[in-house]
Amino acid sequence: MGGKRTRKGKHLLFYFTCIIIVSFLFGEGCIPQKRYQDKQQEQIQQSLMQAKNLMKKGNYKVALKKYQEIAKLFPQIKDKALYEIGLIYAHPKNPDKNFEESLKYFQKLVREFPKSNLRNQAEVWILILQGIKEKEKAIKALKEKISVLQKENKIKSKKINDLEKQIEKLKEIDLTIEEKKRESLP
């Protein structure tokens, strides 16, 4: 009765063990990883929405901090965070706008993420911001030139006033001399 196992019986245990291992690896073993990815994706979306809402409300400082936090916590969307940070620094309603900082973040995006789908937009922003920098530099130079010309104009106006006063005095002297000549004539 307690004889030898048949050949099929020997391998049955092996097949059963393989099925359990395979089902664990491809079945429930992957579920926690998928749940983790889903949860992380949900956190990313939630963080992005919070930052976007802060920016819409005009709370630029807090939105900036939120995007910086996103860049650190979620490296897979760091390019998106860098882009948004660049936009915040360039936003016309941001009281702390800083075109230099904005330019740095867009350049960082282009440098660190050459295959990002935001690269082209960042490059356009770089060109715009560089143009603004050049215009600001030209405006500054013109303002300095205007200031110098205004100082020169003030000096010349003072000289003109002084000369006009001298002319008035000379006219008075001339009139006085003319009167004395008339008085001295018989």
Side-chain angles (χ1 to χ4, degrees), residues 79-95:
D79 61 331
K80 172 82 171 150
L82 292 174
Y83 182 79
E84 294 295 332
I85 291 169
L87 288 180
I88 290 172
Y89 275 120
H91 198 286
K93 291 183 180 175
N94 183 356

Side-chain angles (χ1 to χ4, degrees), residues 19 24 31 33 41 43-44 56 65 69 84 88 90 104 114-115 124 132 136 157 170 172 175 182:
I19 290 171
F24 176 74
I31 290 175
Q33 178 66 24
Q41 195 63 29
Q43 286 176 328
I44 290 171
K56 281 181 183 178
K65 288 179 184 176
E69 179 184 308
E84 294 295 332
I88 290 172
K104 286 178 189 176
K115 295 183 180 181
V124 169
I132 289 172
E136 283 180 342
S157 290
L170 288 172
E172 285 177 22
L175 285 173
R182 284 185 194 160

Side-chain angles (χ1 to χ4, degrees), residues 131-145:
I132 289 172
K133 272 180 54 177
E134 289 174 16
K135 300 257 189 270
E136 283 180 342
K137 197 183 264 186
I139 289 170
K140 185 179 178 183
L142 288 172
K143 283 182 178 180
E144 288 174 2
K145 195 171 186 178

Side-chain angles (χ1 to χ4, degrees), residues 90 99-100 102-103 106-107 122-140:
F99 294 139
E100 285 290 326
S102 180
L103 187 61
F106 288 126
Q107 288 171 334
E123 287 175 336
V124 169
W125 274 105
I126 289 169
L127 290 173
I128 290 169
L129 292 170
Q130 287 174 336
I132 289 172
K133 272 180 54 177
E134 289 174 16
K135 300 257 189 270
E136 283 180 342
K137 197 183 264 186
I139 289 170
K140 185 179 178 183

Side-chain angles (χ1 to χ4, degrees), residues 177-186:
I177 293 173
E178 205 50 49
E179 279 182 27
K180 286 186 179 181
K181 274 185 184 179
R182 284 185 194 160
E183 288 177 4
S184 64
L185 286 176

